[in-house]
């Protein structure tokens, strides 16, 4: 007879499941992610994961939350150098976002799929909003220093986010060639900042007669 699965003795089963699920996600894709297979890999009964994830979707949501928390951490770390100027900190934050997406492409795609799905869980929404709170804060500092136009920083951040997301998609699809990404990312940030720059318009002189 085949021996029964060994009881789990490694501590936090939930964290072990997430770790194994992330590795499986990047290796095989979301379609082949299976709670039963993860149970087998960890040497636990197939019913054990249900204490934490009743369904595969519960596991996917937990992975997305973990992804947004990790993304928030790397962007926050990149943006925390207060001694650096506004442009440099924004560029570092952009590099952090871009680097995360290229390092974890399948997880990144899963995160944004969860973002688009209706009925988002409150904890997922909280993690998402935290991850995307850093760039608006930097932009607000740019506004306070009169370097960029006034307006809702969250709305202005959409412009940078859209540009970076487009770069990520093009890079993953192999459409960016002939230029190093370490040059393209800061160039993209600078192009966006030029569009958002605070400019003083000369007041036209009226030469009309009454």
């Amino acid at each position: 007879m085949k021996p029964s699965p060994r009881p789990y003795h490694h501590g936090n089963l939930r964290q072990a499941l997430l770790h194994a699920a992330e590795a499986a996600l990047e290796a095989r894709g979301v379609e082949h992610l299976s709670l039963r297979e993860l149970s087998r890999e960890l040497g636990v009964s197939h019913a054990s994961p249900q204490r934490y994830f009743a369904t595969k979707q519960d596991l996917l949501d937990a992975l997305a939350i973990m992804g947004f928390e990790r993304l928030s951490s790397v962007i926050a770390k990149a943006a925390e150098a207060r001694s650096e100027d506004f442009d440099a900190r924004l560029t570092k934050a952009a590099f952090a976002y871009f680097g995360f997406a290229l390092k974890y492409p399948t997880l990144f795609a899963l995160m944004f799929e969860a973002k688009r799905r209706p009925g988002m869980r409150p904890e997922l929404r909280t993690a998402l909003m935290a991850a995307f709170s850093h760039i608006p804060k930097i932009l607000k500092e740019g506004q306070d220093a009169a370097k960029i136009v006034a307006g809702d920083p969250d709305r202005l951040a959409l412009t940078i986010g859209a540009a970076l997301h487009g770069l990520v998609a093009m890079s993953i699809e192999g459409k960016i060639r002939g230029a190093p990404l370490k040059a393209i990312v800061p160039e993209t940030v600078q192009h966006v900042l030029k569009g958002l720059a605070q400019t003083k318009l000369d007041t036209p002189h009226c030469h009309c007669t009454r």
Side-chain angles (χ1 to χ4, degrees):
M1 293 178 62
K2 185 177 180 180
S4 59
R6 293 177 291 106
Y8 192 74
H9 291 300
H10 298 88
N12 192 335
L13 177 56
R14 184 181 189 279
Q15 199 60 35
L17 284 165
L18 285 173
H19 181 76
E22 182 183 3
L25 180 72
E26 295 294 346
R28 302 190 291 272
V30 67
E31 301 85 0
H32 301 288
L33 193 61
S34 161
L35 283 168
R36 184 177 290 270
E37 182 62 31
L38 293 176
S39 300
R40 187 159 40 247
E41 289 179 16
L42 293 174
V44 298
S45 70
H46 66 82
S48 295
Q50 294 182 0
R51 288 182 292 171
Y52 305 100
F53 310 112
T55 66
K56 178 179 176 178
Q57 188 58 59
D58 292 334
L59 174 63
L60 296 178
D61 284 345
L63 281 171
I65 291 169
M66 181 190 71
F68 280 119
E69 290 174 345
R70 188 182 299 168
L71 177 60
S72 180
S73 178
V74 298
I75 295 178
K77 185 176 180 180
E80 68 185 4
R82 297 287 174 181
S83 60
E84 296 191 13
D85 61 28
F86 159 72
D87 291 20
R89 290 177 58 228
L90 189 62
T91 300
K92 280 191 172 184
F95 264 122
Y97 179 92
F98 193 81
F100 176 91
L102 294 189
K103 186 175 181 179
Y104 308 105
T106 311
L107 177 62
F108 187 76
L110 173 69
M111 290 157 56
F112 279 83
E113 180 62 32
K115 180 176 179 289
R116 290 190 293 267
R117 198 174 63 253
M120 185 187 303
R121 298 185 178 192
E123 57 270 35
L124 178 54
R125 184 177 298 279
T126 297
L128 183 155
M129 292 178 68
F132 290 105
S133 68
H134 304 290
I135 288 181
K137 288 177 183 176
I138 301 174
L139 292 177
K140 179 63 167 62
E141 293 173 17
Q143 290 176 324
D144 293 342
K147 290 188 175 183
I148 60 173
V149 295
D152 182 351
D154 290 315
R155 296 290 294 273
L156 297 181
L158 288 175
T159 305
I160 293 179
L164 291 175
H165 207 74
L167 277 181
V168 168
M170 292 172 67
S171 179
I172 290 174
E173 293 171 6
K175 294 181 179 178
I176 297 180
R177 299 175 182 175
L181 293 174
K182 65 181 180 180
I184 293 176
V185 173
E187 284 175 3
T188 300
V189 172
Q190 288 305 311
H191 290 326
V192 173
L193 287 179
K194 285 180 182 178
L196 298 177
Q198 180 73 275
T199 58
K200 294 182 179 180
L201 299 177
D202 292 329
T203 303
H205 296 287
C206 180
H207 299 289
C208 58
T209 58
R210 295 184 179 177

